[in-house]
Amino acid sequence: MSGDEIVVRKYKRFDYPALHRIFLQNTPHYFEELQAKNFSEFMDRNAQNYYVVLIGAELIGGGGYAINYFKTVIISWLMFSPQYQNRGFGTMLLRQIIKEIRAEKKPALLEALSTQHTQGLFAKLNFTLVDVKPDFWADGLDLHKFQLKLKTRG
């Protein structure tokens, strides 16, 4: 795989089976199996705000966002195949998502609801941990709520 181009691009419908496999590869360490329905529903409503990462032709992960009723951007469903975790791809993807949000002049408050396993990723990009709820997602999967206020231009 060395020498293959790394690409971040918008999600396309045919990417879903690969993303679903990645979801399953991350169950139960990052996700609880019952969350598969939530992921599917998220993709039905927010596919236009989801990005995938490819190395050559191989889809290795993805992530996206939604905007809630309070006009807060919610970073959602960041996931990578286990062999590509902790290699900088999450940081690269999250930076791209933030760049897109800024370019589209989306609301300036970003939130991420994740687990204790992603604390390093969000800290690296200056998100603040604002809440923890033990065993929220499932036994041993705590809710960690992160926030980042984007600086507005002008």
Side-chain angles (χ1 to χ4, degrees):
M1 235 167 261
S2 90
D4 285 338
E5 184 178 12
I6 300 168
V7 174
V8 177
R9 66 158 168 79
K10 287 264 195 178
Y11 165 85
K12 297 179 182 172
R13 276 192 157 330
F14 61 78
D15 295 327
Y16 188 81
L19 287 168
H20 185 74
R21 275 191 302 279
I22 292 169
F23 173 88
L24 293 175
Q25 290 171 348
N26 284 288
T27 304
H29 189 66
Y30 289 98
F31 302 114
E32 205 276 323
E33 203 169 325
L34 296 174
Q35 291 178 291
K37 182 180 180 216
N38 296 347
F39 176 55
S40 177
E41 290 171 355
F42 173 88
M43 295 306 290
D44 288 344
R45 290 187 313 270
N46 299 287
Q48 73 279 5
N49 297 328
Y50 201 86
Y51 300 84
V52 295
V53 179
L54 298 102
I55 296 180
E58 180 184 5
L59 193 150
I60 65 162
Y65 66 91
I67 301 175
N68 71 14
Y69 296 112
F70 303 107
K71 302 294 183 198
T72 300
V73 176
I74 309 296
I75 304 294
S76 301
W77 298 106
L78 289 170
M79 64 179 102
F80 285 86
S81 294
Q83 66 268 32
Y84 295 104
Q85 293 171 5
N86 300 310
R87 294 179 54 189
F89 295 112
T91 303
M92 179 180 71
L93 176 60
L94 195 48
R95 280 189 175 127
Q96 181 65 35
I97 291 169
I98 292 168
K99 180 180 171 185
E100 295 292 330
I101 292 165
R102 279 190 170 123
E104 295 177 21
K105 306 213 180 336
K106 299 289 185 196
L109 181 63
L110 277 60
E111 284 189 356
L113 304 177
S114 191
T115 70
Q116 66 271 26
H117 303 296
T118 60
Q119 192 159 355
L121 167 65
F122 289 105
K124 195 180 301 182
L125 293 172
N126 299 317
F127 280 75
T128 302
L129 179 63
V130 295
D131 195 15
V132 175
K133 289 189 170 67
D135 299 325
F136 180 86
W137 304 110
D139 282 346
L141 284 179
D142 304 342
L143 166 72
H144 279 224
K145 180 178 179 180
F146 303 95
Q147 288 184 340
L148 174 68
K149 181 135 178 74
L150 294 179
K151 293 185 175 112
T152 54
R153 294 181 183 159

